[in-house]
Amino acid sequence: MNIKIITVGKLKEQYLKDGIAEYTKRLSRFAKVHLIEVPDEKTPEKASEAENTQIMAKEGQRIQEKIGERDYVIVLAIEGKQLPSEVFAEKMNQITVDGYSDVTFIIGGSLGLSPEVKHRANFKISFGLLTLPHQLMRLVLVEQVYRAFMIQQGSPYHK
């Protein structure tokens, strides 16, 4: 399986880079993981709704350029479905049973994702109603993907 994680903006915090590197290394026995950062747009402090829409559209276009035609796309969105880890593990397994070998996760920038990116998604997932920095969400996502594989293996890691 190939897993792509497309994110908006550069990750600057070393502690997050270290955590992501650790889980990416652990995941390497199950899948090839590709972390792809697309440039974010500078958002004016008091941006209008039209400016925000334009910024999301630009970021969305950059994201869509990185999505493969046959990728199974999962976007992280507040309106997505909330799943317990066991159900997420089943979902990841079902994706491969359905014949997909490329899974792409998308984490938007501070303004979220454009409607076009959300429309391209095969599935929308939410990790809860709390607002988390999108940089921290990268680490949470990589850990949950690793957890899903460990659950599939029957590992005590999940306990």
Side-chain angles (χ1 to χ4, degrees), residues 65-76:
E65 290 170 358
K66 305 295 183 187
I67 300 172
E69 191 176 303
R70 295 184 169 167
D71 290 7
Y72 187 93
V73 177
I74 301 174
V75 298
L76 278 67

Side-chain angles (χ1 to χ4, degrees), residues 56-86:
M56 284 192 301
K58 286 180 184 177
E59 291 174 350
Q61 187 174 15
R62 292 178 188 142
I63 290 168
Q64 291 197 75
E65 290 170 358
K66 305 295 183 187
I67 300 172
E69 191 176 303
R70 295 184 169 167
D71 290 7
Y72 187 93
V73 177
I74 301 174
V75 298
L76 278 67
I78 196 90
E79 71 272 13
K81 189 168 174 92
Q82 294 182 34
L83 305 174
S85 294
E86 297 86 355

Side-chain angles (χ1 to χ4, degrees), residues 14-159:
Q14 190 59 47
Y15 70 97
L16 292 174
K17 289 180 182 179
D18 292 344
I20 291 167
E22 175 62 29
Y23 283 107
T24 300
K25 184 176 92 178
R26 292 182 189 191
L27 269 169
S28 67
R29 66 187 246 218
F30 304 110
K32 289 183 181 178
V33 179
H34 308 277
L35 304 171
I36 300 168
E37 294 178 333
V38 299
D40 58 344
E41 288 290 312
K42 299 294 180 236
T43 305
E45 192 171 315
K46 293 185 180 180
S48 68
E49 189 65 34
E51 287 173 308
N52 286 342
T53 300
Q54 192 174 38
I55 289 167
M56 284 192 301
K58 286 180 184 177
E59 291 174 350
Q61 187 174 15
R62 292 178 188 142
I63 290 168
Q64 291 197 75
E65 290 170 358
K66 305 295 183 187
I67 300 172
E69 191 176 303
R70 295 184 169 167
D71 290 7
Y72 187 93
V73 177
I74 301 174
V75 298
L76 278 67
I78 196 90
E79 71 272 13
K81 189 168 174 92
Q82 294 182 34
L83 305 174
S85 294
E86 297 86 355
V87 176
F88 180 61
E90 290 170 20
K91 177 74 176 169
M92 291 294 293
N93 186 57
Q94 188 61 48
I95 290 168
T96 59
V97 169
D98 290 344
Y100 291 94
S101 58
D102 298 303
V103 178
T104 296
F105 290 92
I106 301 173
I107 301 173
S110 59
L111 297 175
L113 292 167
S114 70
E116 294 81 10
V117 172
K118 289 181 181 182
H119 182 71
R120 170 59 179 88
N122 298 89
F123 189 74
K124 295 180 191 122
I125 190 168
S126 171
F127 282 80
L129 299 176
L130 295 172
T131 301
L132 297 174
H134 54 278
Q135 297 91 346
L136 177 58
M137 200 60 233
R138 296 179 196 195
L139 176 57
V140 173
L141 173 63
V142 175
E143 190 281 332
Q144 284 298 303
V145 171
Y146 174 71
R147 182 178 297 273
F149 280 105
M150 295 307 286
I151 290 169
Q152 290 174 20
Q153 299 289 313
S155 167
Y157 173 82
H158 178 59
K159 302 294 178 203

